[in-house]
Amino acid sequence: MERELALEIVRVTELAALASAPWMGRGDKINADGAATSAMRAMFDSISVRGTVVIGEGEMDEAPMLYIGEQVGSMNGPEVDVAVDPLEGTEIVAKGLNNAMSVIAVANKGNLLHAPDMYMEKLAVGPQLVGKLKLTDPMETTLRKAADALNKNVSELTVMILDRVRHEAIIKTLRNVGVRIKFLSDGDVAGAMAPAFPEAGIDLYVGSGGAPEGVLAAAALKCLGGELQGRLMPSDANEYARCLQMGIDDPYKVLTMEDMIGSEDVIFAATGVTPGEFLGGVRYLPDDRAETNSIVMRAKTRTIRFIRALHYLPNKQFL
């Protein structure tokens, strides 16, 4: 992939964030997501790629745009797989909470996992723990191994997890072992990325969340030098069959980074919609201007760029 593509796709996440930000705190996640999706799709037409959406807003009969299989880009340039979440954290925006982002990952064609829309069990870590933990280990073992590798007491670890009823057993174990827990209301991608940012103070991300979000987080963590292990959680025969239909021969196998994002280059970009662990949200300024804060990364170079941009809103034709 061309390195210039990294700066091109951040323009896409910026516009999606700007489009969804006016819906913050209005209690309407449907329109917030729709605004982000429409803006993202429109901006994609200016990007010089022949892209295929492999993770999007749903199937063609479920989503009017950015559906799985849709072609995006100007149809000039390299063939790429595209994973998108125009608004990661629709409920967050609706409630005016933190950690909502617009997110894109791009890789050479055939590299991104076609992840079905179901839960995935996840274990995400930063660079210091890469290759040292196993998703299949009991939680107590995982925590002990992490503490040893980080030269900490188990009680000094901080674990992030989505605040969900389905996580009651895991949370009980975390409490019994004595680690610190940081709960996340929503924002699965941001949560899985957090251990790779020392300033976030998170050692591990555990629990289950959306499988598509797992692939996006894996792309980000490859650029950051971290790691995500995942395992799909089909809930019934239909979901199991869906995995097979999407080319996943063993739906219960532990998925490695290579399984999810391939072994080649990957580019990841995100723009904050509301303030989060490592990105500021959209901020409105006088004179029809708005500020965005984005991160754009490339695995091949491990370059991480934080971009603060000031936008003159009347010139944004897709808003």
Side-chain angles (χ1 to χ4, degrees), residues 16-36:
L18 288 168
S20 60
W23 294 96
M24 185 179 66
R26 299 185 186 275
D28 189 345
K29 66 180 184 179
I30 302 300
N31 276 315
D33 188 49

Side-chain angles (χ1 to χ4, degrees), residues 36-102:
T37 303
S38 296
M40 180 174 278
R41 185 176 189 272
M43 182 58 81
F44 248 123
D45 289 341
S46 68
I47 307 301
S48 296
V49 295
R50 289 175 290 163
T52 301
V53 176
V54 299
I55 290 176
E57 292 289 276
E59 302 295 329
M60 183 165 58
D61 60 350
E62 299 171 353
M65 56 191 71
L66 291 177
Y67 54 84
I68 296 170
E70 182 174 355
Q71 303 300 299
V72 295
S74 67
M75 294 301 114
N76 296 309
E79 285 192 279
V80 295
D81 286 345
V82 179
V84 301
D85 196 338
L87 184 54
E88 154 68 354
T90 55
E91 195 72 37
I92 293 173
V93 172
K95 294 180 178 179
L97 302 175
N98 290 346
N99 277 319
M101 304 187 300
S102 173

